[in-house]
Amino acid sequence: MRTVMRMKRTSSEWLKNEIIKYIVRMGLRPRDKLPSERELAQMFRVSRTTVREAIKRLEERGVVKVEAPKGIFVASDLHELSFYVSLSIKFTPSRDFIIDLLRARGAMEELAVELTIENSSKEELRNLVNTLAELNLVDPDQDMAFHRKFFELSGNAVLMSFFEAFYDLLSAIWHPPFVERTYGRASLPYHNELLEAILQKDIDTARSLVRKIIETDIKVLLSSSPEKLSQDHQ
């Protein structure tokens, strides 16, 4: 079972995020100077070693620049916060959990599809539809690639980050013994209708079809035996 560990409050990754939040809250801009290593250590109650590690990470990402002996300076307006969604912590591969996961993904995918339509030209959508139409959606991995594409093209970095956060978990579950390979087939016709709605830039219909895909998969899961999802995993 894959687990996601929470960041310790003394870790350099945690401190990296805290320094970024400090930069944002203080309204610092490129070339503005940050507190010294000693001051940052006192401010966040961590060791100077942890400060150095966090600053190194920020410098690698182009957020700050260290100029010895002058100090630490903001290097860019672009900041990156790392966060973890604890969807994979000690989960039980039960039918109810899979349904909850599908509903959460569906809600995000509706928005992803809407943004994909809004942010893409007719030609871009035509290329997208042609590419996705070639996928063999009976294969769980290719079905996942189908849905992932909308998050990639949404232009919303937060949506894509959330999708990535539970991508591995959903990919692992949407396979035997947790889910039969035939479970997704009932919703296949709606995938084709979704592509047509996207091509027509019909946002309302596209969102409705995303819901139909999710609801159909859930209906199939509900009609299955609860024990079937986990009996082979015992």
Side-chain angles (χ1 to χ4, degrees):
M1 182 182 300
R2 182 176 181 270
T3 60
V4 175
M5 301 301 293
R6 295 180 184 276
M7 288 183 290
K8 295 181 180 179
R9 290 186 61 83
T10 56
S11 73
S12 59
E13 187 67 24
W14 169 82
L15 182 58
K16 176 179 76 72
N17 286 345
E18 291 302 305
I19 292 173
I20 290 175
K21 287 190 283 187
Y22 173 84
I23 292 171
V24 174
R25 284 197 302 267
M26 299 302 292
L28 301 183
R29 304 298 303 276
R31 296 304 306 162
D32 286 343
K33 190 175 182 180
L34 285 166
S36 66
E37 280 188 7
R38 179 180 58 81
E39 291 169 329
L40 288 171
Q42 292 176 344
M43 185 184 307
F44 294 105
R45 299 181 181 180
V46 296
S47 69
R48 292 187 66 171
T49 298
T50 300
V51 172
R52 291 190 194 100
E53 291 175 355
I55 293 299
K56 181 181 179 181
R57 289 170 180 263
L58 289 170
E59 192 168 26
E60 289 172 349
R61 287 163 173 75
V63 177
V64 304
K65 182 174 179 58
V66 179
E67 298 181 9
K70 295 180 180 180
I72 308 165
F73 297 85
V74 177
S76 170
D77 280 326
L78 298 177
H79 312 307
E80 176 186 331
L81 288 173
S82 296
F83 61 93
Y84 297 90
V85 179
S86 59
L87 290 171
S88 60
I89 292 180
K90 296 182 179 179
F91 74 92
T92 300
S94 65
R95 184 178 62 185
D96 288 343
F97 179 82
I98 295 172
I99 289 172
D100 287 345
L101 192 59
L102 283 173
R103 283 179 172 147
R105 194 206 77 191
M108 289 191 293
E109 190 168 337
E110 281 190 53
L111 178 56
V113 166
E114 177 178 338
L115 293 175
T116 295
I117 293 173
E118 289 180 345
N119 297 332
S120 304
S121 66
K122 271 282 191 180
E123 183 63 26
E124 289 170 333
L125 291 177
R126 189 175 295 109
N127 291 335
L128 168 65
V129 167
N130 289 339
T131 298
L132 295 183
E134 294 178 357
L135 294 176
N136 175 18
L137 299 184
V138 174
D139 184 308
D141 293 328
Q142 293 197 42
D143 179 69
M144 187 63 65
F146 177 98
H147 296 284
R148 179 194 182 99
K149 199 65 179 176
F150 304 128
F151 289 87
E152 291 178 355
L153 297 180
S154 70
N156 188 306
V158 176
L159 267 181
M160 190 63 217
S161 294
F162 271 107
F163 183 82
E164 290 286 4
F166 65 78
Y167 174 79
D168 287 343
L169 177 58
L170 192 55
S171 296
I173 286 178
W174 206 249
H175 284 277
F178 309 126
V179 174
E180 292 297 326
R181 283 186 172 271
T182 57
Y183 278 4
R185 295 182 185 179
S187 64
L188 289 184
Y190 296 129
H191 287 68
N192 294 327
E193 292 181 34
L194 173 59
L195 292 181
E196 183 60 31
I198 289 172
L199 191 58
Q200 298 302 320
K201 304 197 78 166
D202 186 341
I203 291 175
D204 289 340
T205 299
R207 292 188 65 131
S208 175
L209 286 164
V210 171
R211 286 194 297 274
K212 283 186 178 181
I213 290 170
I214 298 298
E215 288 167 3
T216 301
D217 289 342
I218 289 174
K219 183 178 180 180
V220 173
L221 285 170
L222 288 173
S223 66
S224 67
S225 168
E227 293 79 15
K228 192 172 182 60
L229 292 174
S230 58
Q231 63 183 6
D232 295 329
H233 187 59
Q234 300 300 321

mmCIF file of all heavy atoms in Angstrom, residues 172-191:
data_model
loop_
_atom_site.group_PDB
_atom_site.id
_atom_site.type_symbol
_atom_site.label_atom_id
_atom_site.label_comp_id
_atom_site.label_asym_id
_atom_site.label_seq_id
_atom_site.Cartn_x
_atom_site.Cartn_y
_atom_site.Cartn_z
ATOM 1 N N ALA A 172 -4.138 2.744 -9.407
ATOM 2 C CA ALA A 172 -3.947 1.453 -8.748
ATOM 3 C C ALA A 172 -5.275 0.770 -8.459
ATOM 4 O O ALA A 172 -5.406 -0.449 -8.591
ATOM 5 C CB ALA A 172 -3.171 1.650 -7.448
ATOM 6 N N ILE A 173 -6.274 1.545 -8.085
ATOM 7 C CA ILE A 173 -7.568 0.975 -7.711
ATOM 8 C C ILE A 173 -8.372 0.529 -8.929
ATOM 9 O O ILE A 173 -9.087 -0.467 -8.878
ATOM 10 C CB ILE A 173 -8.370 2.003 -6.881
ATOM 11 C CG1 ILE A 173 -7.780 2.107 -5.478
ATOM 12 C CG2 ILE A 173 -9.830 1.604 -6.793
ATOM 13 C CD1 ILE A 173 -8.470 3.112 -4.605
ATOM 14 N N TRP A 174 -8.260 1.251 -10.051
ATOM 15 C CA TRP A 174 -9.091 0.939 -11.210
ATOM 16 C C TRP A 174 -8.528 -0.252 -11.981
ATOM 17 O O TRP A 174 -8.383 -0.247 -13.190
ATOM 18 C CB TRP A 174 -9.221 2.166 -12.109
ATOM 19 C CG TRP A 174 -10.486 2.144 -12.929
ATOM 20 C CD1 TRP A 174 -10.599 1.980 -14.267
ATOM 21 C CD2 TRP A 174 -11.820 2.267 -12.437
ATOM 22 N NE1 TRP A 174 -11.925 2.008 -14.658
ATOM 23 C CE2 TRP A 174 -12.699 2.186 -13.542
ATOM 24 C CE3 TRP A 174 -12.374 2.452 -11.158
ATOM 25 C CZ2 TRP A 174 -14.079 2.268 -13.417
ATOM 26 C CZ3 TRP A 174 -13.744 2.535 -11.036
ATOM 27 C CH2 TRP A 174 -14.581 2.452 -12.160
ATOM 28 N N HIS A 175 -8.180 -1.283 -11.241
ATOM 29 C CA HIS A 175 -7.651 -2.536 -11.777
ATOM 30 C C HIS A 175 -8.138 -3.676 -10.887
ATOM 31 O O HIS A 175 -8.459 -3.466 -9.719
ATOM 32 C CB HIS A 175 -6.114 -2.530 -11.761
ATOM 33 C CG HIS A 175 -5.495 -1.697 -12.848
ATOM 34 N ND1 HIS A 175 -5.294 -2.146 -14.118
ATOM 35 C CD2 HIS A 175 -5.024 -0.419 -12.822
ATOM 36 C CE1 HIS A 175 -4.720 -1.201 -14.844
ATOM 37 N NE2 HIS A 175 -4.553 -0.145 -14.079
ATOM 38 N N PRO A 176 -8.165 -4.886 -11.407
ATOM 39 C CA PRO A 176 -8.410 -6.026 -10.524
ATOM 40 C C PRO A 176 -7.298 -6.093 -9.474
ATOM 41 O O PRO A 176 -6.170 -5.695 -9.767
ATOM 42 C CB PRO A 176 -8.341 -7.229 -11.473
ATOM 43 C CG PRO A 176 -8.624 -6.669 -12.831
ATOM 44 C CD PRO A 176 -8.014 -5.301 -12.816
ATOM 45 N N PRO A 177 -7.534 -6.553 -8.255
ATOM 46 C CA PRO A 177 -8.785 -7.160 -7.803
ATOM 47 C C PRO A 177 -9.815 -6.166 -7.292
ATOM 48 O O PRO A 177 -10.904 -6.557 -6.925
ATOM 49 C CB PRO A 177 -8.303 -8.044 -6.638
ATOM 50 C CG PRO A 177 -7.179 -7.264 -6.057
ATOM 51 C CD PRO A 177 -6.477 -6.635 -7.233
ATOM 52 N N PHE A 178 -9.463 -4.879 -7.241
ATOM 53 C CA PHE A 178 -10.387 -3.899 -6.665
ATOM 54 C C PHE A 178 -11.550 -3.581 -7.598
ATOM 55 O O PHE A 178 -12.679 -3.423 -7.175
ATOM 56 C CB PHE A 178 -9.636 -2.614 -6.316
ATOM 57 C CG PHE A 178 -8.413 -2.850 -5.497
ATOM 58 C CD1 PHE A 178 -7.187 -2.366 -5.902
ATOM 59 C CD2 PHE A 178 -8.471 -3.589 -4.327
ATOM 60 C CE1 PHE A 178 -6.051 -2.581 -5.151
ATOM 61 C CE2 PHE A 178 -7.338 -3.818 -3.569
ATOM 62 C CZ PHE A 178 -6.123 -3.313 -3.983
ATOM 63 N N VAL A 179 -11.256 -3.466 -8.892
ATOM 64 C CA VAL A 179 -12.281 -3.132 -9.874
ATOM 65 C C VAL A 179 -12.091 -4.034 -11.090
ATOM 66 O O VAL A 179 -10.982 -4.179 -11.595
ATOM 67 C CB VAL A 179 -12.178 -1.652 -10.304
ATOM 68 C CG1 VAL A 179 -13.157 -1.360 -11.431
ATOM 69 C CG2 VAL A 179 -12.447 -0.735 -9.123
ATOM 70 N N GLU A 180 -13.172 -4.647 -11.546
ATOM 71 C CA GLU A 180 -13.087 -5.493 -12.730
ATOM 72 C C GLU A 180 -12.797 -4.642 -13.970
ATOM 73 O O GLU A 180 -13.254 -3.496 -14.078
ATOM 74 C CB GLU A 180 -14.414 -6.243 -12.935
ATOM 75 C CG GLU A 180 -14.701 -7.279 -11.866
ATOM 76 C CD GLU A 180 -13.667 -8.397 -11.849
ATOM 77 O OE1 GLU A 180 -13.169 -8.752 -12.947
ATOM 78 O OE2 GLU A 180 -13.346 -8.900 -10.761
ATOM 79 N N ARG A 181 -12.075 -5.191 -14.919
ATOM 80 C CA ARG A 181 -11.721 -4.441 -16.120
ATOM 81 C C ARG A 181 -12.948 -4.064 -16.953
ATOM 82 O O ARG A 181 -12.903 -3.155 -17.779
ATOM 83 C CB ARG A 181 -10.745 -5.247 -16.975
ATOM 84 C CG ARG A 181 -9.330 -5.228 -16.420
ATOM 85 C CD ARG A 181 -8.357 -5.908 -17.366
ATOM 86 N NE ARG A 181 -6.987 -5.727 -16.909
ATOM 87 C CZ ARG A 181 -6.207 -4.703 -17.247
ATOM 88 N NH1 ARG A 181 -6.690 -3.776 -18.033
ATOM 89 N NH2 ARG A 181 -4.972 -4.604 -16.792
ATOM 90 N N THR A 182 -14.043 -4.752 -16.736
ATOM 91 C CA THR A 182 -15.259 -4.470 -17.517
ATOM 92 C C THR A 182 -16.084 -3.328 -16.915
ATOM 93 O O THR A 182 -17.036 -2.872 -17.547
ATOM 94 C CB THR A 182 -16.146 -5.724 -17.579
ATOM 95 O OG1 THR A 182 -16.461 -6.152 -16.249
ATOM 96 C CG2 THR A 182 -15.434 -6.840 -18.313
ATOM 97 N N TYR A 183 -15.730 -2.852 -15.719
ATOM 98 C CA TYR A 183 -16.572 -1.881 -15.035
ATOM 99 C C TYR A 183 -16.742 -0.576 -15.813
ATOM 100 O O TYR A 183 -17.788 0.036 -15.777
ATOM 101 C CB TYR A 183 -15.997 -1.567 -13.649
ATOM 102 C CG TYR A 183 -16.363 -2.580 -12.592
ATOM 103 C CD1 TYR A 183 -17.084 -3.721 -12.905
ATOM 104 C CD2 TYR A 183 -15.981 -2.393 -11.268
ATOM 105 C CE1 TYR A 183 -17.408 -4.650 -11.938
ATOM 106 C CE2 TYR A 183 -16.308 -3.332 -10.287
ATOM 107 C CZ TYR A 183 -17.014 -4.455 -10.631
ATOM 108 O OH TYR A 183 -17.333 -5.365 -9.672
ATOM 109 N N GLY A 184 -15.704 -0.129 -16.512
ATOM 110 C CA GLY A 184 -15.798 1.160 -17.176
ATOM 111 C C GLY A 184 -16.479 1.114 -18.533
ATOM 112 O O GLY A 184 -16.723 2.158 -19.151
ATOM 113 N N ARG A 185 -16.809 -0.089 -19.001
ATOM 114 C CA ARG A 185 -17.316 -0.211 -20.364
ATOM 115 C C ARG A 185 -18.723 0.352 -20.538
ATOM 116 O O ARG A 185 -19.084 0.805 -21.619
ATOM 117 C CB ARG A 185 -17.283 -1.673 -20.800
ATOM 118 C CG ARG A 185 -15.863 -2.216 -20.888
ATOM 119 C CD ARG A 185 -15.796 -3.647 -21.352
ATOM 120 N NE ARG A 185 -14.424 -4.145 -21.312
ATOM 121 C CZ ARG A 185 -14.068 -5.374 -21.644
ATOM 122 N NH1 ARG A 185 -14.991 -6.240 -22.023
ATOM 123 N NH2 ARG A 185 -12.797 -5.740 -21.581
ATOM 124 N N ALA A 186 -19.515 0.334 -19.494
ATOM 125 C CA ALA A 186 -20.895 0.830 -19.602
ATOM 126 C C ALA A 186 -20.934 2.319 -19.939
ATOM 127 O O ALA A 186 -21.889 2.799 -20.558
ATOM 128 C CB ALA A 186 -21.648 0.562 -18.300
ATOM 129 N N SER A 187 -19.898 3.046 -19.545
ATOM 130 C CA SER A 187 -19.887 4.495 -19.779
ATOM 131 C C SER A 187 -19.166 4.893 -21.063
ATOM 132 O O SER A 187 -19.075 6.080 -21.386
ATOM 133 C CB SER A 187 -19.217 5.217 -18.595
ATOM 134 O OG SER A 187 -17.857 4.846 -18.475
ATOM 135 N N LEU A 188 -18.670 3.918 -21.827
ATOM 136 C CA LEU A 188 -17.911 4.228 -23.040
ATOM 137 C C LEU A 188 -18.680 5.091 -24.047
ATOM 138 O O LEU A 188 -18.107 6.014 -24.627
ATOM 139 C CB LEU A 188 -17.427 2.938 -23.707
ATOM 140 C CG LEU A 188 -16.319 2.176 -22.975
ATOM 141 C CD1 LEU A 188 -15.881 0.972 -23.790
ATOM 142 C CD2 LEU A 188 -15.125 3.088 -22.702
ATOM 143 N N PRO A 189 -19.975 4.845 -24.288
ATOM 144 C CA PRO A 189 -20.702 5.703 -25.244
ATOM 145 C C PRO A 189 -20.691 7.179 -24.848
ATOM 146 O O PRO A 189 -20.659 8.057 -25.714
ATOM 147 C CB PRO A 189 -22.127 5.125 -25.209
ATOM 148 C CG PRO A 189 -21.941 3.696 -24.800
ATOM 149 C CD PRO A 189 -20.811 3.729 -23.808
ATOM 150 N N TYR A 190 -20.715 7.448 -23.552
ATOM 151 C CA TYR A 190 -20.710 8.834 -23.092
ATOM 152 C C TYR A 190 -19.370 9.516 -23.371
ATOM 153 O O TYR A 190 -19.314 10.746 -23.519
ATOM 154 C CB TYR A 190 -21.034 8.903 -21.607
ATOM 155 C CG TYR A 190 -22.425 8.415 -21.262
ATOM 156 C CD1 TYR A 190 -22.623 7.475 -20.259
ATOM 157 C CD2 TYR A 190 -23.541 8.901 -21.937
ATOM 158 C CE1 TYR A 190 -23.896 7.016 -19.942
ATOM 159 C CE2 TYR A 190 -24.828 8.458 -21.629
ATOM 160 C CZ TYR A 190 -24.991 7.513 -20.631
ATOM 161 O OH TYR A 190 -26.244 7.068 -20.333
ATOM 162 N N HIS A 191 -18.304 8.739 -23.442
ATOM 163 C CA HIS A 191 -16.997 9.318 -23.769
ATOM 164 C C HIS A 191 -17.034 9.903 -25.183
ATOM 165 O O HIS A 191 -16.532 11.006 -25.430
ATOM 166 C CB HIS A 191 -15.896 8.263 -23.673
ATOM 167 C CG HIS A 191 -15.553 7.862 -22.267
ATOM 168 N ND1 HIS A 191 -16.426 7.171 -21.469
ATOM 169 C CD2 HIS A 191 -14.420 8.056 -21.533
ATOM 170 C CE1 HIS A 191 -15.849 6.946 -20.293
ATOM 171 N NE2 HIS A 191 -14.636 7.476 -20.305
#
